Amino acid sequence: MFDLRYVFSVRHSRHRFAEQVATRMTDPSQAPADAIPQSWVDRVPPRMQPYLRLMRLDRPIGTWLLFWPSVFGLAMGAAAQQRPFLSWLSDWWLLLVFALGAIVMRGAGCTYNDIVDRDIDAKVERTRGRPIPSGAVSPKQAAIFLIAQLAVGLAILLTLNWFSIFLGAASLILIAIYPFMKRVTWWPQAWLGLTFNWGALLGYAAVTEHLAPAAYVLYAGCIFWTLGYDTIYALQDIEDDALAGVKSTARLFGTRTPFYVFMFYLMATALILAAGVSVRLGGPFAVMVLAAASHFVWQIRRLQRNLNDPACALHLFRANRDAGALIAAAIIMASWIS
């Protein structure tokens, strides 16, 4: 039977979202804190905007942080074969495949996370403007959109070798569990590390068709990297998280957060360095990794001076796009030199 209540609710949601878009365009202060002001998403037709925001396409940093570990794995896999990365046409194809996969799967993960966390998001200042808690998209519409994204992700995954296909499918277990971890443990950032860096394993396997110790060491290093940057990210929401009963390493560490982030970054650097050495990247790689290490030191020093500044936390979190680029450049350049 045709339900008029559903029609009216959808119309109300669209009108409400249109009002929010208009407010953001006239008053940038009303935009979500971690969104890029006046991004290209604001210029597409209003009907499309809430779905693009569900994918976080107005906040590309998450896509970069999902993409870089894949590049690490791809380049490390080529180095394990004792050849320069991007010296084969297939390397360029894989780079494109993983870039598209990062966009789609980050979008799917965010959509799923928003469906699960819609009640919590409504209680947190930074997230209450997201499409589902704001009413721009209903949970049912978001679920349909999620299925569509997963279908595209599967199509992308099927372009890889069979070992990588099964390995990529296994990551869905981590993705499915992640949104619930903040309710049961003080270490949801660790689970995010396991989930977000699966591309390091997948990239290595896409090149070599197997996994080796170097891939696991690289994966471990990336997990510590995520522990560092996502702890910084969680500093933005400490007060709201406490009220909502959400756990995080930022709440756990408190004023000792800079020390723990330093230790996470130190472990990340050491393990990534060890992975490179194990595939014979050698001295040039070690020297170039120092650039990323210096970037981590800069983050720690800024964090120490601005521990209670949410804007600084967001800035440092976003800066990890550049840290990832430095690590990727070190692996790729060293694969050509060694």
Side-chain angles (χ1 to χ4, degrees), residues 108-145:
C110 289
T111 302
Y112 171 67
N113 191 79
D114 282 8
I115 293 171
V116 174
D117 282 350
R118 58 188 182 274
D119 293 333
I120 292 177
D121 285 346
K123 300 176 183 177
V124 177
E125 179 65 29
R126 185 178 56 82
T127 59
R128 65 182 50 166
R130 288 178 176 174
I132 297 177
S134 70
V137 176
S138 71
K140 180 180 178 180
Q141 292 170 321
I144 294 172
F145 186 52

Side-chain angles (χ1 to χ4, degrees), residues 179-199:
F180 302 99
M181 298 307 293
K182 65 174 69 74
R183 297 165 170 83
V184 299
T185 177
W186 289 99
W187 292 83
Q189 282 69 29
W191 197 268
L192 180 66
L194 292 170
T195 307
F196 232 59
N197 296 294
W198 199 256

Side-chain angles (χ1 to χ4, degrees), residues 11 26 31 40 64 82 93 96 120 129 133 139 161 170 210 216 251 253 255-256 281 290 295 336:
R11 288 181 177 175
T26 57
W40 65 272
W64 282 111
Q82 299 299 295
W93 167 250
L96 175 61
I120 292 177
N161 60 64
H210 71 278
Y216 295 113
R251 287 189 61 204
F253 301 149
T255 58
R256 291 179 58 80
L281 287 178
L290 290 178
H295 192 282
W336 282 85

